[in-house]
């Protein structure tokens, strides 16, 4: 599920953006090392394939149809880290070109679908890809990838104060389960056909058992955030009431100096505006400096 | 011809991973200034052959290009001297804009960006596409794509042009344009084609490839006649 | 499709089209952050943010109606998400969320409609997005068109062989056939990626994709950046508290 802009609490936005920025940066470096000769073309074209595949609808009867979401298929054919990078690229294009998911909410959507979704989906595959359970692993992986990312999205919304009545919550859960099963079946159908057609397509990605750890982490993350959301849906707001953190963080995000008026121009609206602008510039400057420093360290 | 050949291929053999023998003792020479058409049925090894000429595929046998034997150490130099135009321009034009694409090879070779841009613009002018520099490749017509890909190859100032089915996807006017454009280029050319009319219009001589071997050599009209290679515009669906 | 429309808008002779992509990207982020962190929008704030987005539409000479309609694509999912609030009686809060997501979509469209993707991707790189991701993004966008065309052909082929809706429901083994069609498309994509890689090697690719030098920032770019960010901050700080 692609969350649009405007729905998420600033703290959620900041948290998910930070988590997914780190995860994607790490995945990008790993992917570059994993794929021989850094095959940008391979990841880009398979990403484009997922878009194209989403145009092919699988009819389910009763006038409904469904399509492949593709995360699990990418993980099986490219490997974990390259699949994460490719899925991130897909989400960016969806947000920018197709208004599918917000730009500010990209952090959350990437964390849900490209990081946690793919890691969770990869868990059964990392464990059982070689044994007799291989086909079940793909089925379960497709299911887990959809359910984990969907559950995280719902939890983030609930935490952001978007109340969802119980009836709607239950029907969403049923819907999520159904589309998870479908994703598993679709991925399985494609992978089986691919194995008959071009087995080399499935040999590119090396499966490592150790990667199951990431899957476990992703499932724990999804479970944890759902648990927090169901226990205390207003946790962010009550936190704000109690310690005023949220309000302060909210101010910090945009206008670090706005609440502390500039002494040389007390009280006027434009002092607040200038302070806001300064805050933005400072935040950005800090970000760029950090990125530069990281890049220098990498090239050194 | 007395001159040293630009390309000399001796007894080239290549086997696909699945075991099929694609090239079976192929020998060939290309001399300065000449244009040679490579004819032959589908699956006769034409594309496999041209991919050997700049070391993208490595079979057994000997290939000498511009006096350089194809081996790991001089691939870069050979790829600069042999400009390879692929069959599908969508695969060749992979950069976001036409200008970036034409400059790609120059930048890869470490040329200064300003100089690369100047050279790329000159190459675009050479194929009559000055106006398309900042356009993305997917907005070009089939003929423009083909010319842009040609500009990308010409920017490196190669000594030899190798063209794989250059008339695929082209309508008759675009095809005529291409003939004029290629005719004006001084480089020696090796052109793989199904298009007998096109070959006759542009090539000095032709070789006929069959099952990975050159089975005949001569004038285009002779070979076309001998192998019943009836003229048709294109082996493929037009886009 | 969307990208064709966006490309057409990008060629219009608007003032915004001439601005540096980096500046527009930063301004977009500034706008989205200001909007996303504002307290529940009262009328003045909503009007302020709306006016900023509208100014973008005017500066880019974009067709207002088309932008308004296209941005409405976010409303169905927004409505779905806001349904709980609506049912729970918090209609005002639901409306607030919908207005925010709608205005955000308009802002994204303004920037996307006035900036070619190539420039935008380079701007992302200069603002710190990892280069690897940027290059993957570029290849994805480039081959989106080629592959979706292929998928269309395939869909026609599948349909012409009678694999239509009714057929698939009657015979589950046809599900396999559809899976097979996707597998064929995937295998072709891999072959295409291989061919592209070969074309890159043929032109001297050594593991790094390099760009020409980016255009330099012009006075108009700095002006736009300063004005846009000031206005976003002003609306966020002043109007948002005025309600």
């Amino acid at each position: 599920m692609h969350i649009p802009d405007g729905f998420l609490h600033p703290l959620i936005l900041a948290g998910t953006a930070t988590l997914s920025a780190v995860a994607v940066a790490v995945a990008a470096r790993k992917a570059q090392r994993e794929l021989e000769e850094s095959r940008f073309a391979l990841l880009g074209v398979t990403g484009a394939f997922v878009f194209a595949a989403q145009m092919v609808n699988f009819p389910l009867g009763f006038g409904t149809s469904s399509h492949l979401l593709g995360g699990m298929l990418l993980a099986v054919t490219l490997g974990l880290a390259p699949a994460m990078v490719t899925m991130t690229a897909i989400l960016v294009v969806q947000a920018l070109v197709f208004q599918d998911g917000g730009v500010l909410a990209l952090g959350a959507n990437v964390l849900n679908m490209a990081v946690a979704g793919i890691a969770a989906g990869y868990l059964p595959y990392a464990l059982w890809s070689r044994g007799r359970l291989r086909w079940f692993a793909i089925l379960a992986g497709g299911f887990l990838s959809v359910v984990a990312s969907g559950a995280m999205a719902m939890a983030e919304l609930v935490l952001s104060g978007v109340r969802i009545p119980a009836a709607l919550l239950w029907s969403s859960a049923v819907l999520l389960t159904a589309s998870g099963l479908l994703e598993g079946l679709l991925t399985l159908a494609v992978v089986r056909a691919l194995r008959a057609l071009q087995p080399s397509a499935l040999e590119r990605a090396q499966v490592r058992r150790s990667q199951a750890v990431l899957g476990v982490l992703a499932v724990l993350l999804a479970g944890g955030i759902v648990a927090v959301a169901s226990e205390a849906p207003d946790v962010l707001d009550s936190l704000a009431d109690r310690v005023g953190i949220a309000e302060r963080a909210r101010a910090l995000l945009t206008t670090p100096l706005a609440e502390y008026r500039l002494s040389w121009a007390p009280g006027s609206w434009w002092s607040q505006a200038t302070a806001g602008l300064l805050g933005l510039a400072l935040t950005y400057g800090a970000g760029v400096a950090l990125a530069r420093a990281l890049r220098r360290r990498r090239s050194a | 011809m007395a001159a040293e050949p630009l390309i000399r291929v001796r007894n080239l053999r290549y086997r696909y991973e699945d075991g099929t023998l694609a090239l079976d003792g192929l020998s060939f020479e290309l001399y300065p200034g000449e244009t040679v058409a490579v004819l032959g049925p589908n699956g006769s090894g034409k594309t496999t052959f041209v991919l050997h000429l700049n070391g993208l595929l490595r079979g057994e046998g000997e290939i000498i290009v511009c006096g350089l034997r194809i081996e790991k150490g001089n691939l870069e130099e050979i790829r600069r001297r042999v400009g390879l135009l692929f069959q599908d321009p969508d695969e060749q034009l992979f950069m976001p804009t036409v200008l970036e694409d034409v400059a790609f090879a120059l930048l890869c070779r470490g040329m200064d960006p300003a100089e690369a841009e100047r050279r790329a613009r000159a190459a675009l002018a050479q194929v009559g596409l000055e106006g398309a520099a900042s356009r993305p490749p997917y907005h070009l017509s089939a003929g423009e794509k083909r010319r842009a890909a040609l500009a990308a190859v010409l920017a490196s100032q190669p000594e030899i042009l190798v063209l794989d089915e250059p008339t695929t996807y082209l309508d008759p006017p675009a095809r005529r344009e291409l003939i004029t454009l290629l005719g004006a280029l001084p480089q020696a050319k090796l052109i793989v084609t199904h298009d007998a009319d096109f070959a006759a219009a542009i090539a000095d001589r032709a070789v006929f490839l069959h099952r990975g071997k050159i089975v005949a050599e001569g004038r285009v009209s002779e070979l076309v006649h001998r192998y019943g290679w009836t003229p048709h515009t294109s082996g493929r669906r037009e886009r | 499709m969307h990208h064709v429309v966006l490309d057409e808008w990008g060629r219009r002779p608007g003032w915004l089209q001439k601005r540096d992509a980096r500046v527009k990207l930063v301004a977009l982020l500034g706008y989205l952050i200001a909007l996303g962190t504002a307290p529940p929008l009262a009328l003045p704030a909503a009007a302020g943010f709306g006016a900023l987005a509208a100014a973008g539409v005017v500066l880019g000479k974009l067709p207002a109606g088309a932008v308004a309609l296209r941005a409405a694509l976010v409303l169905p999912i927004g409505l779905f998400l806001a349904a709980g609030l609506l049912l729970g009686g918090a209609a005002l809060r639901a409306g607030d969320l919908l207005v925010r997501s709608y205005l955000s979509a308009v802002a994204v469209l303004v920037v996307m409609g006035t900036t070619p993707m190539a420039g935008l991707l380079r701007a992302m790189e200069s603002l710190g997005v990892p280069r690897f991701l940027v290059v993957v993004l570029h290849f994805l966008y480039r081959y989106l068109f080629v592959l979706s065309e292929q998928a269309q052909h395939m869909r026609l082929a599948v349909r012409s062989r009678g694999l239509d809706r009714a057929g698939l429901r009657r015979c589950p083994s046809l599900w396999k056939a559809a899976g097979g069609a996707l597998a064929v498309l995937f295998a072709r994509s891999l072959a295409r990626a291989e061919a592209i890689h070969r074309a890159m090697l043929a032109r001297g690719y050594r593991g790094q994709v390099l760009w020409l030098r980016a255009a330099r920032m012009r006075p108009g770019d700095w002006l736009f950046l300063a004005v846009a960010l000031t206005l976003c901050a002003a609306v966020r700080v002043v109007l948002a508290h005025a309600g």
Side-chain angles (χ1 to χ4, degrees):
Chain A
M1 181 169 45
H2 296 61
I3 304 173
D5 274 334
F7 281 82
L8 293 179
H9 191 284
L11 270 181
I12 298 268
L13 284 176
T16 53
T18 311
L19 274 178
S20 50
V22 171
V24 170
V26 172
R29 283 170 77 174
K30 263 191 93 71
Q32 200 157 14
R33 237 177 299 141
E34 247 169 61
L35 296 170
E36 80 276 26
E37 299 173 45
S38 47
R39 305 215 161 192
F40 298 110
L42 175 69
L43 301 196
V45 173
T46 42
F49 160 81
V50 170
F51 267 93
Q54 295 185 347
M55 296 164 59
V56 179
N57 278 314
F58 285 73
L60 305 173
F62 313 110
T64 57
S65 65
S66 170
H67 60 71
L68 190 73
L69 294 172
M72 186 58 194
L73 184 63
L74 289 177
V76 171
T77 51
L78 298 177
L80 189 61
M84 283 181 179
V85 176
T86 309
M87 201 63 192
T88 305
I90 291 171
L91 292 171
V92 171
V93 171
Q94 281 174 334
L96 290 176
V97 182
F98 298 91
Q99 276 71 59
D100 206 354
V103 168
L104 223 47
L106 253 177
N109 287 329
V110 165
L111 184 69
N112 299 347
M113 284 181 273
V115 180
I118 287 188
Y122 204 70
L123 173 61
Y125 194 68
L127 292 176
W128 303 316
S129 70
R130 267 173 279 242
R132 262 180 306 156
L133 286 169
R134 164 163 47 180
W135 299 126
F136 173 72
I138 291 175
L139 187 76
F143 176 78
L144 261 181
S145 71
V146 170
V147 170
S149 47
M152 280 181 65
M154 298 295 273
E156 285 156 8
L157 285 164
V158 170
L159 282 176
S160 299
V162 178
R163 303 253 166 78
I164 301 174
L168 203 63
L169 210 56
W170 280 113
S171 52
S172 302
V174 170
L175 218 64
L176 206 57
T177 312
S179 57
L181 272 175
L182 267 172
E183 177 74 2
L185 284 170
L186 284 176
T187 310
L188 192 57
V190 178
V191 170
R192 290 191 94 130
L194 204 55
R195 200 173 71 132
L197 187 73
Q198 194 181 350
S200 62
L202 299 169
E203 288 156 12
R204 191 186 309 271
Q206 301 165 332
V207 185
R208 273 187 237 110
R209 285 248 160 137
S210 57
Q211 287 169 331
V213 175
L214 288 174
V216 173
L217 280 180
V219 172
L220 286 179
L221 177 68
I225 187 172
V226 169
V228 171
S230 60
E231 284 301 309
D234 299 326
V235 68
L236 292 177
D237 285 336
S238 58
L239 210 66
D241 290 346
R242 235 176 292 155
V243 270
I245 283 179
E247 190 50 44
R248 213 167 284 166
R250 196 183 263 176
L252 259 171
L253 273 175
T254 45
T255 56
L257 308 173
E259 315 299 328
Y260 318 92
R261 304 205 168 117
L262 293 179
S263 55
W264 43 269
S268 65
W269 70 267
W270 57 269
S271 79
Q272 290 197 356
T274 320
L277 198 63
L278 252 165
L280 268 179
L282 279 177
T283 316
Y284 173 68
V288 167
L290 194 69
R292 287 264 158 81
L294 278 174
R295 205 175 303 158
R296 209 164 303 136
R297 245 189 53 202
R298 200 182 322 161
S299 57
Chain B
M1 274 181 240
E4 270 295 295
L6 282 173
I7 296 180
R8 171 180 289 156
V9 178
R10 290 247 178 88
N11 205 16
L12 181 63
R13 292 164 154 274
Y14 182 76
R15 208 178 270 284
Y16 287 130
E17 272 170 35
D18 67 358
T20 333
L21 196 60
L23 297 177
D24 182 13
L26 186 149
S27 296
F28 172 82
E29 280 168 1
L30 180 77
Y31 290 92
E34 71 170 345
T35 298
V36 178
V38 179
L39 305 172
N42 286 334
S44 60
K46 301 190 297 288
T47 299
T48 310
F49 170 48
V50 298
L51 290 178
H52 276 84
L53 295 179
N54 63 1
L56 285 173
L57 291 180
R58 308 284 292 277
E60 303 161 35
E62 185 183 66
I63 306 176
I64 294 177
V65 177
C66 304
L68 298 169
R69 191 181 304 273
I70 292 198
E71 44 196 26
K72 206 141 199 178
N74 48 26
L75 276 184
E76 220 163 279
E77 182 58 22
I78 285 171
R79 284 175 185 165
R80 191 191 68 74
R81 296 197 187 194
V82 180
L84 183 53
L85 195 71
F86 288 83
Q87 180 170 358
D88 188 345
D90 270 330
E91 281 158 9
Q92 187 147 21
L93 299 171
F94 47 75
M95 293 294 281
T97 65
V98 172
L99 186 69
E100 294 273 2
D101 202 276
V102 176
F104 180 83
L106 307 176
L107 292 175
C108 277
R109 221 171 296 127
M111 189 181 282
D112 170 65
E115 171 67 6
E117 180 167 349
R118 204 186 53 74
R119 287 264 290 268
R121 287 193 189 276
L124 278 174
Q126 204 177 352
V127 300
L129 275 181
E130 304 92 321
S134 60
R135 274 157 69 190
Y138 45 83
H139 279 309
L140 303 179
S141 72
E144 289 171 328
K145 275 185 193 168
R146 185 66 70 189
R147 282 189 283 148
L150 187 59
V153 167
L154 290 176
S156 303
Q157 302 179 328
E159 287 166 39
I160 304 164
L161 288 177
V162 178
L163 301 95
D164 192 2
E165 303 273 6
T167 55
T168 311
Y169 310 124
L170 296 190
D171 56 12
R175 193 163 150 272
R176 276 198 299 278
E177 265 174 20
L178 187 69
I179 292 175
T180 323
L181 189 58
L182 289 178
L185 296 173
Q187 284 93 344
K189 296 182 257 308
L190 180 77
I191 302 179
V192 170
T193 185
H194 269 131
D195 184 341
D197 283 341
F198 176 72
I202 202 160
D204 308 311
R205 65 183 173 103
V207 295
F208 197 91
L209 209 60
H210 187 65
R211 298 198 176 163
K213 250 191 274 221
I214 289 178
V215 292
E217 196 173 336
R219 289 182 26 182
V220 176
S221 54
E222 269 171 42
L223 291 191
V224 165
H225 185 73
R226 195 179 334 160
Y227 289 95
W229 210 244
T230 41
H232 58 134
T233 47
S234 170
R236 277 231 198 162
R237 176 178 54 88
E238 306 259 346
R239 258 197 203 167
Chain C
M1 267 173 90
H2 304 247
H3 51 265
V4 178
V5 179
L6 292 179
D7 282 341
E8 192 271 314
W9 291 354
R11 285 197 296 277
R12 288 173 179 236
W15 187 79
L16 214 48
Q17 274 84 343
K18 296 197 202 81
R19 299 282 64 82
D20 191 281
R22 287 164 287 189
V23 167
K24 282 184 272 187
L25 198 56
V26 173
L28 174 66
L29 288 179
Y31 181 88
L32 292 179
I33 291 175
L35 182 61
T37 58
L41 297 180
L43 200 59
F49 281 117
L52 286 182
V57 172
V58 173
L59 284 175
K61 291 211 166 121
L62 301 177
V67 174
L69 268 178
R70 198 164 285 272
L73 283 177
V74 300
L75 290 182
I77 179 106
L79 264 174
F80 174 76
L81 296 181
L85 291 167
L86 275 174
L87 293 177
L92 221 57
R93 174 111 170 88
D96 175 51
L97 294 182
L98 283 177
V99 168
R100 278 174 207 250
S101 62
Y102 182 73
L103 286 177
S104 303
V106 172
V108 173
L109 272 173
V110 166
V111 171
M112 288 308 295
T114 56
T115 317
M117 196 63 171
L120 202 74
L121 291 180
R122 292 192 60 175
M124 284 166 67
E125 192 188 343
S126 54
L127 296 180
V129 176
R131 183 190 190 85
F132 187 82
L133 178 61
V134 169
V135 179
V136 169
L137 263 167
H138 147 63
F139 274 98
L140 196 164
Y141 190 70
R142 168 69 183 89
Y143 289 99
L144 196 59
F145 315 107
V146 180
L147 286 191
S148 43
E149 209 169 83
Q150 240 170 15
Q152 299 275 26
H153 288 311
M154 192 159 273
R155 200 155 61 168
L156 274 181
V158 167
R159 211 168 272 169
S160 67
R161 264 180 271 149
L163 291 176
D164 56 1
R165 277 154 190 272
L168 211 57
R169 206 172 340 159
R170 260 196 318 261
C171 175
S173 77
L174 290 179
W175 181 293
K176 221 167 156 184
L182 279 187
V184 169
L185 190 63
F186 189 77
R188 281 195 198 160
S189 311
L190 292 183
R192 189 179 282 280
E194 199 58 41
I196 295 163
H197 188 66
R198 268 210 298 258
M200 293 168 75
L201 287 179
R203 285 205 271 150
Y205 170 70
R206 279 181 294 184
Q208 243 203 328
V209 176
L210 300 161
W211 318 107
L212 289 170
R213 191 166 292 154
R216 233 177 261 141
M217 297 267 283
R218 283 181 288 183
D221 298 327
W222 290 111
L223 177 76
F224 173 73
L225 185 65
V227 171
L229 288 185
T230 312
L231 288 177
C232 288
V235 171
R236 161 71 180 81
V237 174
V238 182
L239 291 182
H241 292 298

